[in-house]
Every structure is written in C-alpha cells, then in structure tokens.
C-alpha cells in the first residue's frame, strides 16, 4: 500500500488517490428552518428531504460515488430479459472475486436475507451471529426463528482499543450448538463489519474458525459481505497473517471457507443491487425458486442492467487497496478529530462511518427517551448534518410490547465513499464539538407514530419539552448570521 508523507508533519491528512470530475450543489437551510424541517419529519432523519440536508451522513448504502469506469461500463448494458451478456459479465466478475460457481441475483441485501430465510429458517430455529442487523433479524423472527448474538465481550465496550471487536466468541458458539442442537441451527451468520456496534471488523482467522466449527457440526456458514470491503482493509492493515497478502488473496481465503455469501452492492461495489453466491449447488437449488417469485428472472433478479454492469466493475475495483482505503482513512480522520475534541466515540475507528457514543454524550437522557435519536435530531439542528440513530429506536419491541433497549446507543455519521471533502468533515466535527459543549440543552424524544416493524424507517417522534427551540436560539447567539 502507498503512503505519502507530508513535509509539514502537523499537516498530515489522508490523501485521496482519485480526483473529482462531477459535482453536485449543496444547500444549508438556516437554523430556524432546520428546526421546522425536523419537526415536520417527526424527528426522524429518514423522513428529512434531501434538499434540506447539507451533509447526508445517514448511510453509505447506494450513495457512494461511482468510478469513471463504472459509469462507462453502464453504457454497454444488454437489457435482454434472458440470456443477457450483462449477466454473464457480472457472473465472471463474481467468479474472479469470490471464486464461486453459482450466483442468484437480487435487488439488494435485504432481498437476499428474505430468500435465505424463506429457504432455510423454520419456527423454533436459532440463528447465531456475531451481531444482528435490523432487517436480518426481522426476516428471521418473521419465520419463527430467533437470533443469538455472540460477539466477543470487547465488541460492546466503545472505549476499548481492540483490533477486531466484531469477532465471534467461539466458545459461546460451541456451547450454543451443544445446548440447542445443530439440527435447530439452519446457519451461522457472519457479518463482516458489524453495522450496529460501530462498523467493527472481524479477523480473517476468526471468520475461518467460525466456518470450521460449522463444518464440524454440519451447519451452513453464511457471510454477509455487504461491508466486506472495509473489513478487508482492516484485515490487511491489522492482522499479522495477512500483511503480505493481496486483497484478492484475503478475499479468496475467506470465501473458500464459507458455504454461502450474500451482499448488497449498494455497499460492496459502489453500485445498486445484490446477490447470493456459493459453490454448493444444493444450497443454490433450495433458494433458486424464490428469485422469480420475489425478485425477477434469474438473469437480473430485480436489478436494472446498467447497475449490474457498474456492479461488475465495482466488485473488481474493490480488490484494489487504493480504492477501498479511502473510506476507512476518512472515518479514522473524523474519529480522531472528534476524539481530540473530547467527544465520546466508538474506538478504534471502524468501517462505514464514525460512531458517537450517545449514552456518554447525553448521560442524563434515559433509554426510554432515546438518546441516540435525540442526538441525531440535535446534530441536524446544529449543522444540517443528517446522521442515523443506531440505538434503541433501531431495535424492535419484545413480543409482550416492552421496549428492547439496544446494547449501545450510537449516532452513526456514515462516510459515503469519495463523496465528502476533508473540509466538509472538519465542518461536521466542528458542529459536533459545538453540540457537545452545549449538550445540557438537549432533551429526549417520545413516540407519536410507532410502526410495529422497522419503526426507525418511518416512525415519528416529538421532542419532550421545547429543547429544540432553545438549542436553535443558542446557535443563533453563538454564530450570528452564519448558517
């Protein structure tokens, strides 16, 4: 990997190995307008209109900048319903990256989760995973199964510096298999880059060890590779056994051990769509029937062909270290800036985005008033920055209706790849610092419209008291006419 040293060492910053050729104009509403837009959106950043957002750090899903080669490739798309050359080019790229023989296309990652759950999960089943993702858990519980989270203890300590906080707790996995029986475990899911605990990675060694345990007990191993590119970066830079391996070699070693891999190319490959790959024909045949039923024909699976062409190129570009390092380096820079300001961050910096520990940021706001959601609302007021709540709002209630409080209350500031400049990251850090210095003004939230399923997407909340207006007034006092 390349490293460019700055002559003035105090000016050392991540150096982008790309140039920007297309730009999009941004707008920043006034702080009073931001308060109004937030109230109209029910204090749910998902319901904000993008025209009212200055920095969209909600997610890196489907909003990464594509390369010039991806855009060029999309122009050669073959939109034949069957027998498409676009499909053939995508299959070839997947074989190169994962060395897999079979591919089932789907319109995105959660569609893959639906197919896998339909094919393999039955009532009473238990699905172990290092940590759940929102839609993954819902698909499994919808089929009558339950999720067991087996991330190592270090993964739930935001302040602990540990290289692979997303690792499976192998002894707990073996114990669970013994307790419930392998026949009641349809698969073990490995999430490469744990979304809900700060984008923390797993080691290559740990993934392979989980796959070996599964093989010993006749259980299918499943890898969610949606965040694999960041995880590959961390393996290359943090794991001794991988330091002399290429990104392609690391990917092949992991893929060789796993029975089934699925991914969202809204993340992996910087395009749109998703898919399931495997070398096990029997597993593919069990899922194949559901693709035409839920997604589309077997050569497109709900994807638009231009996106498939972009995906094929993007997957191959993911094997280039200079392509995948920009995201983690920018995230590390933002985490470092905020940590130096005293803001409580999840450390070390993971993938996907910078994660603020809302419980420490707002210690006086109890779980039942949703501190991570309140912090997301406050940051939009402070800077027009749209982050994503990754805490109790992102959980689903228990069957008896009681609240299921999250292990961690986090505000995620996603860093879409090749989208933001360093000056914009410094602006974000500055507004978070101002908010931290005025955190005593921030209050909680309460539900006014709460959907039963995936409530964080379209539920609505309201502020408890008038804290948002007071926060805006303090902003105007400190910043004057500045936006």
């Amino acid at each position: 990997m390349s490293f460019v040293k700055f002559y003035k060492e105090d000016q050392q910053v991540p150096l982008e190995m790309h140039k920007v050729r297309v730009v999009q104009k941004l707008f920043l509403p006034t702080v009073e307008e931001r308060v109004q837009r937030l109230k109209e959106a029910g204090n749910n950043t998902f319901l904000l209109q993008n025209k009212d957002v200055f920095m969209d750090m909600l997610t890196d899903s489907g909003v990464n900048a594509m390369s010039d080669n991806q855009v060029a490739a999309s122009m050669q798309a073959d939109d034949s319903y069957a027998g498409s050359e676009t499909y053939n080019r995508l299959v070839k790229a997947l074989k190169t990256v994962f060395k897999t023989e079979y591919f089932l296309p789907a319109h995105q990652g959660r569609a893959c989760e639906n197919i896998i759950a339909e094919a393999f999960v039955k009532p009473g089943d238990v699905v172990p995973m290092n940590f759940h993702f929102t839609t993954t858990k819902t698909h499994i519980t919808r089929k009558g199964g339950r999720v067991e989270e087996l991330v190592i203890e270090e993964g739930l300590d935001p302040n602990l510096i540990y290289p692979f906080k997303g690792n499976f707790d192998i002894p707990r996995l073996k114990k669970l298999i013994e307790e419930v029986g392998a026949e009641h475990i349809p698969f073990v899911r490995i999430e490469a880059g744990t979304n809900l605990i700060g984008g923390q990675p797993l080691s290559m060694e740990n993934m392979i060890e989980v796959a070996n345990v599964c093989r010993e007990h006749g259980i299918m191993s499943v890898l969610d590779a949606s965040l694999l590119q960041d995880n590959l970066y961390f393996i290359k830079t943090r794991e001794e056994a991988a330091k002399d391996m290429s990104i392609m070699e690391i990917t092949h070693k992991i893929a060789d051990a796993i029975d089934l891999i699925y991914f969202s190319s809204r993340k992996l490959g910087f395009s749109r769509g998703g898919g399931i790959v495997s070398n096990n024909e029997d597993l593919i045949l069990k899922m194949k029937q559901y693709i035409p039923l839920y997604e589309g024909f077997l050569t497109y699976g709900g994807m638009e062909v231009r996106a498939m062409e972009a995906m094929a190129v993007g997957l191959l570009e993911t094997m280039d270290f200079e392509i995948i390092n920009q995201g983690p380096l920018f995230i590390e820079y933002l985490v470092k800036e905020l940590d130096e300001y005293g803001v409580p961050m999840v450390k070390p910096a993971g993938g996907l985005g910078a994660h603020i520990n809302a419980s420490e940021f707002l210690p006086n706001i109890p779980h039942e008033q949703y501190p991570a959601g309140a912090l997301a609302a406050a940051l939009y007021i402070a800077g027009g920055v749209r982050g994503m709540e990754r805490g109790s709002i992102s959980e689903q209630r228990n069957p008896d209706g009681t609240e299921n409080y999250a292990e961690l209350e986090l505000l995620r500031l996603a860093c879409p790849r090749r989208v933001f400049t360093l000056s914009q990251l410094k602006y974000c850090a500055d507004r978070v610092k101002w908010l931290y210095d005025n955190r005593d003004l921030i209050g909680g939230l309460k539900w006014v419209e709460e959907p039963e399923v995936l409530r964080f997407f379209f539920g609505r909340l309201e502020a408890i008291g008038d804290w948002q207006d007071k926060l805006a007034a303090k902003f105007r006092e400190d910043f004057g006419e500045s936006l």
Side-chain angles (χ1 to χ4, degrees):
M1 63 181 173
S2 58
F3 170 72
V4 179
K5 183 178 180 179
F6 282 62
Y7 178 61
K8 293 186 67 178
E9 293 194 10
D10 62 337
Q11 297 297 313
Q12 186 72 45
V13 295
L15 182 64
E16 300 93 327
M17 301 301 287
H18 63 267
K19 63 181 179 181
V20 177
R21 300 176 66 189
V22 177
V23 297
Q24 181 180 13
K25 189 174 182 179
L26 295 174
F27 298 92
L28 180 57
T30 67
V31 67
E32 292 81 11
E33 290 171 333
R34 297 197 293 266
V35 171
Q36 183 60 33
R37 297 293 90 77
L38 187 66
K39 290 178 180 179
E40 292 170 356
N43 286 279
N44 185 342
T45 55
F46 273 98
L47 301 182
L48 288 167
Q49 298 301 302
N50 192 55
K51 65 182 178 62
D52 300 320
V53 173
F54 179 64
M55 286 187 70
D56 193 356
M57 307 183 83
L58 186 77
T59 181
D60 69 339
S61 180
V63 293
N64 299 292
M66 289 198 298
S67 71
D68 52 354
N69 288 324
Q70 285 183 284
V71 174
S74 67
M75 295 296 102
Q76 66 175 343
D78 175 3
D79 59 2
S80 302
Y81 190 89
S84 165
E85 279 304 303
T86 289
Y87 174 80
N88 293 336
R89 283 189 283 268
L90 178 54
V91 169
K92 183 179 179 181
L94 286 162
K95 285 183 178 180
T96 300
V97 171
F98 293 116
K99 294 203 308 183
T100 45
E101 189 66 30
Y102 305 105
F103 168 56
L104 296 176
H107 77 271
Q108 66 181 93
R110 70 195 53 169
C112 300
E113 293 170 347
N114 176 53
I115 299 298
I116 294 169
E118 283 287 335
F120 300 109
V121 179
K122 60 185 185 301
D125 279 347
V126 178
V127 179
M129 53 186 71
N130 46 340
F131 211 80
H132 80 279
F133 183 60
T134 51
T135 55
T136 323
K137 184 175 182 178
T138 301
H139 282 302
I140 290 168
T141 56
R142 179 181 61 83
K143 294 293 293 181
R146 66 180 172 90
V147 167
E148 284 287 337
E149 293 170 347
L150 301 178
V151 72
I152 56 173
E153 184 179 341
E154 291 87 342
L156 299 178
D157 184 345
N159 299 308
L160 180 67
I161 303 298
Y162 190 82
F164 294 106
K165 292 168 77 171
N167 275 356
F168 252 93
D169 188 324
I170 301 294
R172 287 173 62 202
L173 175 60
K174 292 178 179 178
K175 182 180 179 182
L176 180 67
I177 294 171
E178 183 179 327
E179 289 174 350
V180 305
E183 66 276 14
H184 297 299
I185 300 177
F187 58 88
V188 173
R189 174 181 172 270
I190 305 166
E191 185 176 316
T194 43
N195 196 309
L196 296 182
I197 60 171
Q200 296 297 313
L202 298 85
S203 69
M204 176 176 64
E205 178 186 26
N206 186 258
M207 285 191 253
I208 293 171
E209 189 172 0
V210 171
N212 289 339
V213 170
C214 289
R215 192 172 296 110
E216 290 171 11
H217 292 87
I219 299 170
M220 178 171 61
S221 58
V222 174
L223 172 65
D224 179 349
S226 301
L227 295 174
L228 182 63
Q229 61 200 20
D230 289 346
N231 209 123
L232 291 169
Y233 168 85
F234 292 122
I235 288 172
K236 173 71 175 174
T237 57
R238 296 180 183 177
E239 190 166 355
E240 184 65 25
K243 68 176 184 179
D244 295 324
M245 298 172 67
S246 69
I247 296 298
M248 183 82 80
E249 288 170 338
I250 297 169
T251 305
H252 286 172
K253 187 162 185 177
I254 293 169
D256 285 345
I258 304 293
D259 294 316
L260 195 73
I261 300 171
Y262 76 91
F263 63 94
S264 168
S265 67
R266 296 178 68 88
K267 298 178 181 291
L268 182 69
F270 304 151
S271 58
R272 304 287 192 279
I276 305 169
V277 295
S278 179
N279 280 316
N280 188 316
E281 186 178 14
D282 291 338
L283 297 180
I284 292 294
L285 289 175
K286 289 180 181 178
M287 295 179 287
K288 193 173 184 178
Q289 61 184 315
Y290 296 111
I291 301 297
L293 181 62
Y294 291 119
E295 295 296 303
F297 192 60
L298 290 167
T299 56
Y300 69 93
M303 287 186 281
E304 199 273 332
V305 286
R306 283 178 284 273
M308 294 172 69
E309 292 282 4
M311 186 201 301
V313 174
L315 287 166
L316 294 174
E317 289 180 342
T318 299
M319 297 295 100
D320 182 344
F321 185 83
E322 303 297 351
I323 293 288
I324 65 171
N325 69 359
Q326 186 267 340
L329 286 174
F330 265 47
I331 293 165
E332 182 181 27
Y333 179 83
L334 181 55
V335 169
K336 182 175 180 291
E337 285 273 299
L338 290 170
D339 184 52
E340 289 177 352
Y341 285 156
V343 177
M345 305 298 296
V346 174
K347 295 175 288 188
L352 205 161
H355 292 75
I356 302 174
N357 184 353
S359 296
E360 287 189 25
F361 196 110
L362 301 171
N364 296 325
I365 297 182
H367 265 306
E368 60 269 21
Q369 293 183 17
Y370 309 110
L375 185 55
L379 182 56
Y380 176 71
I381 294 171
V385 178
R386 172 161 64 171
M388 185 191 290
E389 189 271 0
R390 297 278 72 167
S392 296
I393 292 175
S394 294
E395 296 291 334
Q396 59 190 41
R397 287 188 181 269
N398 297 314
D400 63 1
T402 58
E403 189 63 273
N404 178 29
Y405 295 119
E407 294 274 5
L408 298 174
E409 292 281 350
L410 305 179
L411 172 59
R412 185 180 79 193
L413 302 176
C415 292
R417 307 309 184 247
R418 303 175 294 209
V419 170
F420 296 128
T421 64
L422 280 177
S423 66
Q424 289 167 332
L425 289 188
K426 291 185 78 69
Y427 165 83
C428 173
D430 181 82
R431 291 303 188 259
V432 173
K433 169 59 173 171
W434 177 84
L435 201 58
Y436 187 60
D437 289 345
N438 292 278
R439 60 192 179 277
D440 290 343
L441 294 174
I442 303 173
L445 302 173
K446 62 181 179 181
W447 288 104
V448 291
E449 294 179 23
E450 184 182 354
E452 290 186 15
V453 178
L454 298 176
R455 61 187 183 175
F456 66 93
F457 276 136
F458 43 90
R460 304 177 74 86
L461 303 99
E462 67 179 13
I464 299 172
D466 61 351
W467 65 264
Q468 295 179 334
D469 295 314
K470 291 178 179 177
L471 186 68
K474 176 61 173 169
F475 179 94
R476 185 59 71 198
E477 177 186 330
D478 288 351
F479 290 97
E481 294 303 309
S482 170
L483 296 176

